[in-house]
Amino acid sequence: MDPLITPDPDRGQVVITRFECESTRGLLRLMLLHKRIKRDVRRQASGFIGVRTLVFWRSHTMLSISVWKDLDSIYSMGRVDRHIKAAKRTSQLRS
């Protein structure tokens, strides 16, 4: 069977991250934090092209779909202080 899309890392990278919260309140906190992190990533990470979020209120779930120039660009997000701090606190954000 032939694939519908042939992967080509030279044409960019897409990262999909799924966040699940235990409550609407937790989801709202996560959305606010994500907005702040997005602003810092735009300013500080190299090769960041854009991001979209999808929110599923009933399941308290959010998807973050980000597009990057290349794999090195994704790793540059590791230099964004707010992202590092948030990644260490993910369990606290769920409730």
Side-chain angles (χ1 to χ4, degrees):
M1 178 165 69
D2 293 327
L4 294 174
I5 300 172
T6 304
D8 185 355
D10 293 330
R11 295 183 67 196
Q13 301 287 313
V14 175
V15 177
I16 302 173
T17 307
R18 179 183 175 104
F19 300 94
E20 295 180 358
C21 299
E22 295 175 1
S23 66
T24 301
R25 179 179 168 205
L27 182 58
L28 288 169
R29 287 178 30 199
L30 179 67
M31 290 170 61
L32 178 62
L33 181 61
H34 189 269
K35 184 176 182 175
R36 291 178 181 160
I37 291 171
K38 179 173 63 172
R39 183 177 52 227
D40 288 356
V41 169
R42 284 188 197 280
R43 292 176 183 161
Q44 299 172 24
S46 62
F48 176 71
I49 297 172
V51 65
R52 289 291 179 254
T53 56
L54 297 174
V55 178
F56 301 94
W57 292 100
R58 286 186 180 179
S59 62
H60 306 124
T61 302
M62 183 177 85
L63 296 180
S64 171
I65 305 164
S66 57
V67 181
W68 300 83
K69 178 182 171 189
D70 53 26
L71 190 57
D72 289 336
S73 299
I74 296 169
Y75 291 126
S76 77
M77 191 168 40
R79 293 189 302 263
V80 179
D81 287 337
R82 192 182 305 256
H83 184 269
I84 295 167
K85 290 175 186 174
K88 291 178 181 178
R89 295 181 47 219
T90 54
S91 63
Q92 297 171 358
L93 295 171
R94 290 185 171 180
S95 57

